[in-house]
Amino acid sequence: CNYSYVGVLCLLSTCQSLEHLDLQNAEFLCDQRVEELCEYLGNLVSVNVGGCRMLTDLALFALVRGCPLLNEIRMGGTDVGKRRVDQDLMNGVVNCQVKSLYLGNNSLLRDESVEMFASVCPSLEVLDLSSCCGISEGVVEVLRRCCEVRHLSLAFCSGVELAGLNFEVPKLEELNLSRSGVDDEMLSVISECCRGLLHLDLENCSGVTANGVRQVVGKCTRLREINLGSCDEVGANVVAWMVFSRPSLRRIMAPPSFDLSDGQKELLLRHGCLVC
């Protein structure tokens, strides 16, 4: 914890073949310093600057622009969203190597910034926006531009809105909507556009009922795991229906109303699905 910017700069200027860099919670990092460090990060594959509270959109853009081999960026708990990147700077900047972007716990993040990141990182496969409460319709534009997304986390995103999702998202396999504002209406949209889902997390989604669950399970024919923990409006009888209606299911985290005997759970397990 006693290293400084000078020390990091000295290290990177000497070891320019570095592929993985973790500067999590480095209080001295700011946008300008990240841009300076990028001069020595031509071989960088992954970077973690989570918890660096002075970093904004400009730092993220500097990494995308200055590190052509960068595959994974972790910038959770920063100030991303505070300063938008000038459109003139963005012209022609695209990094198709960036596959994973972790931006959780950025309370200032808004749709405009998320859409900008999607435009410069069109090959994203993993996007974590958990606890970014300022996000709403921007997620739809991300999915439109980044057709390779397979893992999306919107946990604790209470303002998320998917009504504009009117196209297929064929690669999406893992969707985390726990403690979000999702309801049956949004589940109906998901069931139509995200039929390749393998894992769906709906824990503590108070607007979800058995009707919404039936739509998703009925149309997502590859679904292997669903989490209905703390979904108080989902009736217990939907669990057995899911097991017998969707043979691909391997694990169900049941709603609070579900209370079967060990023998009944064993019966469901014999059909290939663990209910817990």
Side-chain angles (χ1 to χ4, degrees):
C1 59
N2 293 321
Y3 65 94
S4 68
Y5 173 69
V6 173
V8 172
L9 185 62
C10 179
L11 172 67
L12 296 183
S13 62
T14 305
C15 308
Q16 296 189 30
S17 61
L18 199 71
E19 295 184 357
H20 306 280
L21 179 63
D22 189 338
L23 296 175
Q24 187 175 12
N25 297 321
E27 296 180 357
F28 56 78
L29 272 189
C30 62
D31 293 338
Q32 181 180 346
R33 287 179 168 177
V34 168
E35 190 166 357
E36 292 169 356
L37 293 179
C38 285
E39 180 181 346
Y40 310 106
L41 297 175
N43 291 302
L44 197 66
V45 174
S46 69
V47 62
N48 183 357
V49 288
C52 299
R53 292 292 179 180
M54 292 193 290
L55 300 187
T56 73
D57 310 47
L58 300 180
L60 178 52
F61 183 74
L63 288 166
V64 171
R65 181 179 57 183
C67 304
L69 303 182
L70 196 55
N71 179 276
E72 178 183 277
I73 304 174
R74 292 183 175 271
M75 286 191 70
T78 62
D79 247 356
V80 170
K82 186 175 184 179
R83 297 182 63 184
R84 294 184 60 185
V85 180
D86 189 276
Q87 187 65 43
D88 291 337
L89 288 176
M90 291 174 51
N91 288 337
V93 177
V94 176
N95 189 330
C96 293
Q97 289 296 115
V98 178
K99 299 296 194 298
S100 302
L101 184 56
Y102 297 87
L103 297 174
N105 294 298
N106 281 302
S107 60
L108 299 179
L109 193 59
R110 298 294 183 268
D111 289 340
E112 295 81 4
S113 293
V114 171
E115 291 172 17
M116 182 274 288
F117 302 147
S119 69
V120 296
C121 302
S123 299
L124 280 179
E125 296 179 5
V126 178
L127 179 60
D128 188 340
L129 298 173
S130 53
S131 298
C132 295
C133 296
I135 299 298
S136 57
E137 298 97 340
V139 175
V140 174
E141 191 59 33
V142 170
L143 294 174
R144 190 190 309 277
R145 297 180 182 182
C146 304
C147 56
E148 297 295 318
V149 171
R150 57 180 177 79
H151 176 97
L152 177 63
S153 179
L154 299 170
F156 293 87
C157 293
S158 55
V160 67
E161 179 57 63
L162 300 176
L165 191 63
N166 56 7
F167 51 90
E168 286 190 31
V169 189
K171 299 292 183 68
L172 189 62
E173 295 180 343
E174 299 183 35
L175 180 58
N176 188 344
L177 294 168
S178 60
R179 297 178 184 268
S180 68
V182 69
D183 55 17
D184 285 353
E185 185 176 348
M186 276 195 256
L187 285 183
S188 176
V189 172
I190 291 168
S191 69
E192 293 292 342
C193 302
C194 309
R195 298 194 178 193
L197 280 179
L198 300 178
H199 304 275
L200 179 61
D201 193 336
L202 299 172
E203 183 180 7
N204 221 317
C205 290
S206 58
V208 170
T209 72
N211 290 333
V213 173
R214 288 176 185 273
Q215 289 188 69
V216 170
V217 173
K219 294 184 177 180
C220 297
T221 57
R222 299 174 60 205
L223 195 64
R224 296 179 62 84
E225 183 175 320
I226 186 169
N227 186 353
L228 299 172
S230 299
C231 291
D232 295 330
E233 299 302 316
V234 177
N237 59 348
V238 77
V239 174
W241 176 86
M242 286 192 289
V243 173
F244 296 117
S245 300
R246 181 54 56 221
S248 63
L249 275 170
R250 293 294 176 266
R251 187 177 183 185
I252 298 173
M253 275 65 79
S257 58
F258 182 77
D259 186 23
L260 293 185
S261 67
D262 291 342
Q264 290 170 315
K265 290 182 180 180
E266 180 65 27
L267 174 63
L268 298 179
L269 184 58
R270 284 202 294 270
H271 279 81
C273 186
L274 173 65
V275 180
C276 52

